[in-house]
Amino acid sequence: MKELDCVEVVVEKKRYADEGIYKGMQGWICDERIIEGRRLVNFPQHGEKEDIATLDILESDLKKIPIMDACVNERIRAQHEAK
């Protein structure tokens, strides 16, 4: 993985959930550096809405995807807020 790659979170972790990030959410790597095995990932929403979060995620908790769909993030977030 490298900067600007689109990625998906493949695990559910409390640390991520505390920031509003859940398994299946998609983002993009926004820094070229890898610090202690973590990548800085931005998780946007669709359109002009404010980003959900920019968070350091373990590289092993991510998978590279060809295209990001911010609408996926909104659907996942709504499911978790409904609980």
Side-chain angles (χ1 to χ4, degrees), residues 1-6 28-33 39:
M1 285 182 237
K2 63 185 184 316
E3 185 177 15
L4 302 181
D5 278 350
C6 296
W28 60 281
I29 296 174
C30 56
D31 193 324
E32 65 184 28
R33 297 172 294 171
R39 302 302 302 247

Side-chain angles (χ1 to χ4, degrees), residues 23-76:
K23 181 179 179 180
M25 284 189 155
Q26 300 177 1
W28 60 281
I29 296 174
C30 56
D31 193 324
E32 65 184 28
R33 297 172 294 171
I34 302 172
I35 301 173
E36 296 181 7
R38 297 180 179 277
R39 302 302 302 247
L40 192 61
V41 181
N42 176 267
F43 295 90
Q45 294 189 83
H46 183 71
E48 299 297 317
K49 297 176 189 168
E50 187 175 313
D51 293 340
I52 296 169
T54 299
L55 189 63
D56 60 311
I57 305 281
L58 277 173
E59 197 166 39
S60 60
D61 292 346
L62 298 168
K63 75 173 179 181
K64 185 177 172 182
I65 57 175
I67 299 172
M68 180 185 63
D69 181 358
C71 293
V72 169
N73 295 344
E74 293 180 29
R75 284 193 300 272
I76 292 170

Side-chain angles (χ1 to χ4, degrees), residues 20 22 45 52 74-83:
Y22 305 98
Q45 294 189 83
I52 296 169
E74 293 180 29
R75 284 193 300 272
I76 292 170
R77 185 179 197 184
Q79 290 171 350
H80 283 273
E81 288 176 351
K83 291 180 181 180

